[in-house]
Structures are given as C-alpha cells and as structure tokens.
Amino acid sequence: MRARRTATAYAFLAPTLIVVGVFMVWPMLQSLADSFYDKSIGPGIFVGLGNYTKLLGDPAFLIALRNTVFYAVAATPVAVALALGLALLLNGHVRGRGFFRSALFLPSVVSLGVVAIAWKFLLDPDIGLVTYWLRGLGVDVGDGVRDADVAMWYLIGVGVWKNAGFYMVMYLAGLQTIPRMYYEAATIDGAGPWQRFRKVTWPLLGHTTMFVFIIAAIAALQVFDQIFVMTRGGPHFATESLVYLVYRKGLQDFEFGYASAIAWVLVLIVFVLSLAQNVFFSRRAVRF
Amino acid sequence: MKRLLALAVVTALTLTACGSADKSGTSGGQVTLTFWNGYTGPDRPALEGLVKKFNDTHPGIRIEMNIMTWDVLFQKLLPAYTSGNGPDLVAFDDAHIGRFAAKGVLAPLDDWFTAERTATLVKPAVEATLFKGKHYAVPMTFTPILMYYNKKLFKDAGLDPGKPPATWQEWQSALKKLTKDTNGDGRPEQYGTALPDHQTIQVWPILLWGNGGDLLSLNSPQSVQAVQQWSDLVSKDRISPTGLGGADADKLFQTGKAATNITGPWMTAGFKEAGLDFGVAMVPAGPAGAVTLAGASSFVLNARSDAAKQKAAKEWFTFWNSKESQIAWSNGSGFPGVRTDVTPDDTKANPYVAQFAAHSEKARVLLPGQAEFRKIYEEIFEPAVQRVTTGEAQVQQALDEAAKAIAPLSGP
C-alpha cells in the first residue's frame, strides 16, 4: 500500500522531475563534463583542468571576476538594507500602504531585460529624461553608462531598484511572524524605538536576513540582464560580469569548453559563499 | 493503477509533442528549404515578397523562412548546425562568413560562380564570399555606407547644405562648427557627428582606410595617425559623444542632436518619418582617397543539406540574383543590390537607391575571410578605440597592444 502511494506520488512529480532533469540537471552535468574539454564544435579535445588553469592567467576572466565581486559587494548590502528599511516603514500604519507596497514590488515582477531598455533611455546622458531633469537641478551626471568610471554604479542602481521590492516583501513576511507581545513587553521595560528594533526586531528577523542575504548575493553574482541591455560589458570591459563573460565566450566566441569552466567557477563561488553565509548566520540566530 | 497509467500516458504525450517535427524536408518530390535571417526591419516585406514569388514560381521547392532578431539568430546558429538541426539557408553579414566557414558547417559553392554570373556581380561582394580561396556564400545584398547630414543644422552653422564636405579637411572644420556648447558647461548640446564605437555598423575602419591604414596593420604610421586625429577630435573638440552604440548614434541624428551620421540606406525611412531635412553624401575623402565601408550580406548553405536541397538552394540564389529580383529588392529595401547592371531608371521608386549605388565601387568589405573577425573587431579594436577616445590610453601604445593581440588571430 505504502509503496503504491509512493509510486503515485512519483507519477505526479514525474512531469516536473523530467523537465527539471532534462532542462536543468542534465545540461549542468553536461557543462561540467564540457569544462574539461577544449571544445567548440564536435567532440573536442580532453584537456583535464586545462581550462581552469588557463582562467587564472586570463585577464578577461580576472577583470570579470573583479567586476562581479565589486557589483555583489556594493549591490547586496544596499538592496538588503533598503528592503529592510522599506519593510519597517510599510509594516506600520502608513497612508497608502497597499499602494506603496505594490509599487515597490512591481519592478521585481517585470522582466529586467525590458525595464533595462527603459532605464537606458531615461539615463541617456544626451537625450535621457532623468539626466535632463538632474541637469536642470544643477547635478552633473557626466557620461552615464558610457563612462567606464561610473557605469557600474548605474547598473548597481538598476539592479537594486529591481530587487529591493522583492526582498522587502520577504522582510514584511518576517515582520508579521514576530509576536506583538515582545514589543509590548519591551515598551513596558522602557525600550525606545531603536532599542526595540535592535533587541527584538533584528534578532528575530535573523532567519529572514540570512535567506534574503543569500538570495541577494546569488542574484548579484549572476548579474547579466541590465549589462546585456545597457552596456554590453563595456566601455572596454569595465562592466563585464562573469555571466556576461560566459555568454561572450560561449555564444559569441563558440568556446563552449572554456565558457563552461567559467560557469563552474561561478557555481563554486556561489556555493562556498552560500555555505559561509549559512554558517555565519546560523551561529547568530536566536531561538525562542 | 488506472490513475498511474493515465498519468504516464499524459506525460508521454506532452514529451512527444515537444519533440516531433517533420525534418525530412523532401517528401513527395517537394523540397523544403529552411531559411533563417534577421530582416525584422522595414526591408522585411521586400524579402517576404520575393520568397513568396519564388515559392509560387518554383512548384517543386518551398522556402520556409524564419525571421528572428540577429542576436537570437547568432545565439542559435552554431548549436543548431552542430546538433544537425541547422537551417539550410541563412543570410548574414559578410563578416561572419569566415567565422562559420572555419567551423566547417558551410557548404562550398564554387560551382554556382560561373564566369558569366560573377561578371554581373559587384566585385567586392563576390570577393567577400571567399574563405581560403573557396566560395562559401552567394552575395545577397550590397551597399556603401554613406554620410547623412542635417541640412537645417548645416544652414544654422553657416555651411552650405547644397555642398557637403568632400575632403577630411573640409569635414573636420565643418564638424567643429557643427559642435555647439550653447550653455558653456563643457558638454555640447549639439554634436558635429555621432561616432559609434560598439554594436554598430563599423565606422572607425572607414577613418583608418581614409588615411591609408587598416585593421590588420593597426600600428602602421597611417593607422596611428588616423586614430590620433579622430580621437583628438572626439576627446578635445567633442565632435561626438563616446560610448555610442549604432542605435544611439542614429537616435542622436534623428533628434537633431548630431549634425551628421554615417550609416546605411536602411535609415532613410526612419529619418524621413521623423521629419528630418537631410541629405546623403559620400564619406569625405581622406588623404588616401575616397573609401567607405560596404554593408554586405550573403546567403550561406548548410554543409549537411542533401543534394536535392543543395540544388534547390542554388536555384534560389540564381532567382535572387536575377535582375528582376534585385530591382524589386532595391526598391523595397533601399539597398543598391549586388548587380552592376541595375540603372537608376530601374530604381526610380526609391530615389535613395541610385544615390547609394553611385558609390558602390568605393565600398570595401571589412576583414573578408577572417575566421576571427569578431574577436579582432569587437574584443580588441573597439575597446582600444574606446580607451583612446575617453583619454584612458595613449594612441600609439593602445594600437601597439591591439596589433600584437590581433596578429595571432588573423589569417592570410
């Protein structure tokens, strides 16, 4: 009886498992295998760890790695902090709460590729609307995404704008799980708003923060869409991320083996980072 | 158990629905050719019209055309070829011929190029189809890239809109006059031109050629001098913004923020719609003479297509390159086309065709037959230009480095 029920369950899961297996797991394993080959078209030549050792001396990889780390280090905390701030603000009784919640969540629903086109136009240093207004206010925005020195900040801005709303919703959900009585108790004990946040909200949001931080960091390490639309990795590779490099090496230069190796380095980075974050946050988690 | 069976059946059905499609191509004496290209723009109806006409007049052959954006096409193409699902025919820019021929996925087409056929075709268009001495493509379309100029902005700057600059000297002085920083913030409100440096029809090579330089001799004195001169004009005189893609450049010209723009005939319709009063002229002649870039595309044939399909494909090439088809294509797309015997009278329906055709002989194909065209151009040359125009690198040093990087990638 039990075996039959298990079989039925698997049968229900089968369509999804097959799709995930065929379109995700299999290609991933295939790319892992490819990463040990010098491969363009046809079977390729086995080179062992050759692609991986080549990476370490490839300036294109090192630049992309640096850009990606820079993006993640800048974008992740900003997006998370912004999300927490907005969640705290919109958790209370604010007028138009529903409107603001939806408005802030909206960017994470629409395709980044599409909104990046809009941002590219709005931020164009010559014919952009936002830059026009800013200039009217006396703010010099320079050459925008065409300027190698600041282009990355524009991409970070768009990335944060896109994701903060989603993280905010997670924080809102986290805030709802904190029982009111803790706040009441804290207030009776004489805790001000800052102490209530520091001693009640923040520790009890630990699990949410861990989760949000991990997915925010992963999303940042995989940055691609707005780069593809707004800068194509330029000017002169100043905004090329690892995923963009995978795209360039694989789909433009047809170096499938090498591109797979880069992709797997990224997988490794994401894995190690997630593990480290997990350990870090679980140690600090509060149980009650 | 019944439920299990039903589920299994549904799953199986879903999976087969994803996978099956008739790939045989030849059934009942009918040959079906799949044809991919990226003509999503205003030239699309002209191409569709000719394919329809071919299908109607060739009962044994059917061309199934799949038009997608160029980005998508190039992402899909090599994987499709490799997996055996590649299209029989593809049309793409000549720069890609060497790239794909080197991978061995294209069928050689030497037997189509009879002396008689070759004689009627524009020479650089034919030469561009060669890779290591063999033809791997058949010319589809050809146009010189010309200079568009805004007549009103010329008048406002005290220049004669009836007499566009013809030499570099005249051109450079005009560009300085056309660049205007009206509010004095150091950032022009109007630019002399819009020189794109990525994702674009390649304008910088025209400037190299005009001075006798070339992409494959980037650190020659002529190349260095050309890049020095023009990057100074960009960084010091600010005749153009930096970091423009081709679409950005067209937009600046279209909105009257740039007075000139170097591009192909496909923009005439858009600029006219925007109500622009513009003229079209040959790119001014440099010290080494009048030269411009050719915007050329060709058809390629899948090496794995069977004999019947290869034969049918060659019929299509012959149909496409007939005088009648070329005239229809020119009138519909604005491209002068690949034949030398089409006269301005034939293309009266689109007066720009003759204006472009007049300069066909001065047009050069960029890096013909180079398998690593993309790396040479997009990954080495363009970043070098971006560095020097933004003042991040010295011209001589940047070009020395670029030349060194290009040397091992370039073939004979």
Side-chain angles (χ1 to χ4, degrees), chain B residues 26-178:
Chain B
T26 40
S27 55
Q30 170 106 351
V31 182
T32 302
L33 296 172
T34 48
F35 174 25
W36 290 6
N37 63 71
Y39 289 90
T40 51
D43 25 27
R44 181 178 184 146
L47 179 59
E48 283 173 337
L50 281 165
V51 167
K52 186 177 180 301
K53 190 173 165 205
F54 178 81
N55 284 341
D56 291 347
T57 53
H58 295 71
I61 310 171
R62 235 193 90 69
I63 291 184
E64 271 175 15
M65 187 159 59
N66 190 349
I67 300 179
M68 57 198 97
T69 63
W70 293 114
D71 261 350
V72 172
L73 188 147
F74 285 112
Q75 279 167 36
K76 283 167 72 172
L77 192 55
L78 192 67
Y81 276 139
T82 326
S83 63
N85 293 321
D88 300 304
L89 294 169
V90 188
F92 54 48
D93 191 281
D94 284 357
H96 298 282
I97 296 171
R99 203 174 152 212
F100 285 92
K103 300 278 178 208
V105 295
L106 304 182
L109 296 164
D110 285 331
D111 55 345
W112 187 85
F113 286 86
T114 59
E116 188 193 355
R117 279 189 188 131
T118 309
T120 60
L121 298 173
V122 181
K123 220 170 130 198
V126 174
E127 281 166 4
T129 62
L130 289 167
F131 177 72
K132 298 203 168 146
K134 271 184 167 173
H135 293 283
Y136 282 95
V138 168
M140 176 198 179
T141 189
F142 188 90
T143 182
I145 302 302
L146 297 185
M147 179 180 73
Y148 287 67
Y149 63 99
N150 186 318
K151 289 185 176 170
K152 184 182 169 294
L153 299 184
F154 263 56
K155 243 178 279 170
D156 293 348
L159 297 160
D160 181 359
K163 207 173 143 284
T167 64
W168 271 21
Q169 219 169 10
E170 289 172 25
W171 192 19
Q172 292 174 348
S173 103
L175 289 178
K176 285 184 200 165
K177 277 186 204 152
L178 289 162

Side-chain angles (χ1 to χ4, degrees), chain A residues 14-32:
Chain A
T16 313
L17 285 180
I18 290 171
V19 169
V20 169
V22 170
F23 292 105
M24 289 183 69
V25 179
W26 173 247
M28 274 182 74
L29 294 176
Q30 183 69 50
S31 88
L32 180 62

Side-chain angles (χ1 to χ4, degrees), chain A residues 79-91 101 104 164-165 168 171-172 175:
Chain A
V80 175
L82 191 66
L84 178 59
L86 291 170
L88 289 171
L89 216 61
L90 293 176
N91 195 40
R101 281 186 183 179
L104 289 164
M168 173 195 78
Y171 267 126
L172 279 171
L175 287 170

